[in-house]
């Protein structure tokens, strides 16, 4: 059974069809779900500098039967997310008692998002992603800006378990070189937060044209891009108005890599053993001897006279 799209996903998928006023209201609703869940049309209109009629029209434009339907959806979603840890995390946002408080707030905020991911991730979709990567000739991992490092990470680890993988994080003309040899026997892992940039649009259009399956890791673009991808792994990355975190992306990629390795244990273990052999040849000593080279010798106690 397909999961109901979140408000943020609805806004992302319909942004292009909204009027300027509707877009302003929609972005406010997506950024302030707790306030919107319990506010009247008049209150939301005042907060956005619009009218209550515009608020109702926006709710309908987002696919709800009106503001009551939108609020019911938000309230149901918040019941899952507003755990004690969530409320504490929100309270800690106002604390300015130094680095220790910020450390606690950040850790709790990430725990909150990972708990929310349990509700937004679809197990069947994840299984399909594992099957696609496991059976592909090659995996092309696409992530731009802050996600470029995540691309390198999963490509490296897929290679280490015996699967051909490379990255495509270039912008402009150089991206064409990365896409040129893609075929139906390959798979693309595309990562995107809440904006569809030109590079992502070109990648998805090209994959549709040549028949390459696509796995999308995102927080809000699942509904907007559903027709162009084969698998959507949708999980909250960060709260609106805060720094975008890659922690959830990293954990998803690690889970994907481990699950692919588990599909073909012999292949993964054989590749890892070959990698260790190559490392030993490059190092000039066995990997089992490595710890003895870096551990200091125990100090002898001075003899008593």
């Amino acid at each position: 059974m397909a999961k109901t799209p979140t408000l943020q996903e609805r806004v992302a998928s319909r942004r292009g069809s909204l009027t300027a006023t509707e877009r302003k209201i929609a972005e406010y609703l997506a950024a302030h779900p707790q306030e919107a869940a319990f506010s009247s049309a008049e209150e939301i209109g005042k907060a956005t500098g619009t009218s209550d009629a515009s608020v109702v029209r926006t709710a309908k434009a987002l696919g709800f039967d009106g503001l009551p339907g939108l609020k019911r959806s938000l309230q149901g979603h918040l019941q899952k997310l507003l755990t004690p840890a969530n409320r504490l995390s929100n309270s800690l946002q106002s604390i300015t008692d130094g680095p220790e408080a910020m450390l606690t707030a950040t850790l709790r905020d990430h725990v909150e998002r990972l708990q929310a991911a349990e509700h937004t991730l679809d197990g069947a979709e994840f299984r399909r992603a594992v099957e696609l990567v496991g059976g592909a000739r090659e995996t092309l991992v696409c992530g731009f800006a802050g996600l470029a490092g995540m691309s390198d990470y999963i490509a490296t680890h897929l290679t280490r378990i015996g699967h051909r993988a490379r990255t495509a994080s270039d912008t402009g003309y150089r991206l064409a070189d990365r896409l040129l040899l893609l075929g139906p026997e390959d798979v693309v892992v595309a990562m995107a937060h809440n904006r569809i940039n030109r590079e992502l649009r070109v990648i998805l259009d090209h994959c549709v044209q040549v028949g390459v399956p696509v796995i999308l890791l995102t927080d809000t673009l699942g509904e907007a891009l559903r027709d162009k991808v084969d698998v959507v792994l949708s999980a909250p990355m960060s709260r609106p108005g805060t720094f975008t975190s890659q922690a959830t992306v990293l954990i998803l990629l690690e889970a994907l890599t481990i699950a692919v390795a588990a599909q073909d244990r012999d292949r993964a273990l054989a590749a890892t053993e070959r990698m260790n052999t190559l490392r030993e040849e490059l190092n000039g000593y066995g990997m089992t001897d490595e710890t003895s080279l870096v551990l200091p010798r125990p100090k002898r106690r001075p003899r008593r006279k």
Side-chain angles (χ1 to χ4, degrees), residues 39-181:
S39 298
S40 65
E42 183 179 2
E43 290 169 335
I44 296 173
K46 288 181 179 179
T48 56
T50 60
S51 66
D52 53 352
S54 296
V55 173
V56 174
R57 281 198 301 271
T58 302
K60 292 181 178 179
L62 292 174
F64 297 99
D65 58 5
L67 185 60
L70 185 150
K71 291 170 64 175
R72 284 195 301 272
S73 175
L74 285 176
Q75 290 167 10
H77 188 59
L78 290 172
Q79 284 180 355
K80 297 177 181 178
L81 299 184
L82 289 181
T83 61
N86 183 300
R87 291 192 293 270
L88 176 58
S89 178
N90 291 337
S91 300
L92 287 172
Q93 287 185 15
S94 59
I95 294 179
T96 56
D97 292 338
E100 296 85 353
M102 292 308 301
L103 173 62
T104 301
T106 301
L107 291 174
R108 291 189 179 276
D109 188 51
H110 281 77
V111 169
E112 166 198 325
R113 283 201 292 274
L114 291 174
Q115 290 174 333
E118 290 185 290
H119 300 288
T120 60
L121 287 168
D122 188 314
E125 291 276 281
F126 183 77
R127 176 179 291 275
R128 176 62 177 149
V130 172
E131 292 171 349
L132 285 172
V133 174
R137 178 190 67 175
E138 183 176 58
T139 299
L140 182 68
V141 190
C142 307
F144 303 95
L147 289 166
M150 298 294 102
S151 301
D152 292 331
Y153 179 86
I154 187 173
T156 297
H157 283 270
L158 285 172
T159 301
R160 288 176 178 175
I161 61 171
H163 291 262
R164 294 184 180 275
R166 58 189 175 91
T167 63
S169 299
D170 303 279
T171 57
Y173 288 163
R174 293 190 62 183
L175 181 59
D177 298 326
R178 306 291 182 263
L179 303 178
L180 188 60
L181 298 180

Side-chain angles (χ1 to χ4, degrees), residues 229-295:
V229 301
D230 296 80
V231 174
V232 173
L233 299 178
S234 184
M237 306 300 179
S238 60
R239 284 196 303 266
T242 65
F243 284 110
T244 300
S245 171
Q246 314 298 4
T248 306
V249 177
L250 178 61
I251 291 172
L252 269 175
L253 294 177
E254 287 186 341
L256 181 63
T257 304
I258 294 170
V260 170
Q263 258 198 337
D264 193 340
R265 295 172 182 269
D266 292 340
R267 176 180 180 177
L269 291 173
T272 304
E273 289 175 2
R274 287 197 300 273
M275 181 182 67
N276 286 340
T277 299
L278 289 170
R279 286 180 173 180
E280 289 175 352
E281 293 175 357
L282 291 168
N283 287 337
Y285 55 82
M287 297 296 290
T288 55
D289 300 329
E290 191 168 2
T291 53
S292 63
L293 296 175
V294 297
L295 290 176

